[in-house]
Amino acid sequence: MKHHDSRIGCRQIPDHWVPFASAADVRRQVNQLGLTLGDWATNARTQSGRQPLALCVLRGGVFFFSDLLLACPVTVEPAFCRCRSYEANQNGVVAQSVEVTLDDPGAIAGRHVLVGDDICDSGRTLNLLTQRLKELGAAEIEVAVCVHRIRSDSQFQPRWCAFSYDGPEWFAGYGMEDANHCMNFPGLYLLGTPDETV
């Protein structure tokens, strides 16, 4: 049985959550990844004469994206898009179709684009998003995710990840949600069922 603190501040950690990475572990991994992006961002700026465009996939990617850009030693321009591929109130329930909405599609052409998202699971969302960015004329597209779930049937492979995982469990915390709740926990957790001992 795994033990963990039952509270973070005034927030109660659900009993069916199993710790995966502490807030300190997440900070350390994301900071290291941000530093790694410096070479890519420098090269992208040299090739294009413009600062790279960093595109946050909302909502789940917001914490990872912010921390990643703060750790990157090279200036990038933040931008945002919204993608939805799971039903909001049910963990792991795939939506009928992936919805992609870009705040400023006209800003993509000729740009080196870094996409930041919380997780690459089936890869369906990131595959569709990168295809859309190619159609809009992006010069280069690279993807960084907080968690890359290793799957043999994945439709997409991100270039960078802070963590990789090969199990089927749903994630929560640090932008990932438990039935549309608890996104703003600073660590990462795996979800069992409420009846499972953690």
Side-chain angles (χ1 to χ4, degrees), residues 19-43:
F20 176 79
S22 69
D25 291 336
V26 170
R27 278 194 307 273
R28 182 171 52 253
Q29 290 295 106
V30 174
N31 284 344
Q32 183 58 50
L33 185 54
L35 292 172
T36 300
L37 293 175
D39 287 342
W40 172 82
T42 298
N43 292 336

Side-chain angles (χ1 to χ4, degrees), residues 163-186:
F163 300 93
S164 60
Y165 185 69
D166 62 1
E169 292 83 3
W170 191 257
F171 276 84
Y174 202 59
M176 289 169 263
E177 61 193 46
D178 183 358
N180 210 30
H181 290 81
C182 305
M183 292 175 70
N184 63 326
F185 281 70

Side-chain angles (χ1 to χ4, degrees), residues 97-151:
S97 61
V98 176
E99 299 172 11
V100 175
T101 305
L102 296 165
D103 281 356
D104 186 6
I108 304 299
R111 303 293 292 276
H112 292 251
V113 180
L114 171 70
V115 174
D117 201 1
D118 56 352
I119 188 168
C120 178
D121 188 3
S122 69
R124 187 171 70 132
T125 300
L126 289 169
N127 186 46
L128 181 63
L129 175 57
T130 54
Q131 290 302 318
R132 178 76 176 121
L133 295 174
K134 288 175 185 175
E135 291 168 3
L136 291 169
E140 179 188 27
I141 305 159
E142 297 290 0
V143 176
V145 298
C146 183
V147 177
H148 179 204
R149 188 188 305 281
I150 308 302
R151 292 176 46 157

Side-chain angles (χ1 to χ4, degrees), residues 2-28:
K2 294 186 179 181
H3 297 278
H4 58 85
D5 294 334
S6 62
R7 301 186 76 81
I8 295 179
C10 63
R11 293 169 291 188
Q12 180 72 32
I13 299 174
D15 291 337
H16 63 286
W17 284 22
V18 178
F20 176 79
S22 69
D25 291 336
V26 170
R27 278 194 307 273
R28 182 171 52 253

Side-chain angles (χ1 to χ4, degrees), residues 30-31 33-35 37-38 40-41 51-57 61-80 113-117 144 174:
V30 174
N31 284 344
L33 185 54
L35 292 172
L37 293 175
W40 172 82
Q51 64 179 335
L53 187 70
L55 185 64
C56 176
V57 180
V62 65
F63 302 116
F64 170 69
F65 181 81
S66 295
D67 290 344
L68 189 68
L69 266 56
L70 289 171
C72 182
V74 177
T75 181
V76 297
E77 179 185 347
F80 303 90
V113 180
L114 171 70
V115 174
D117 201 1
Y174 202 59

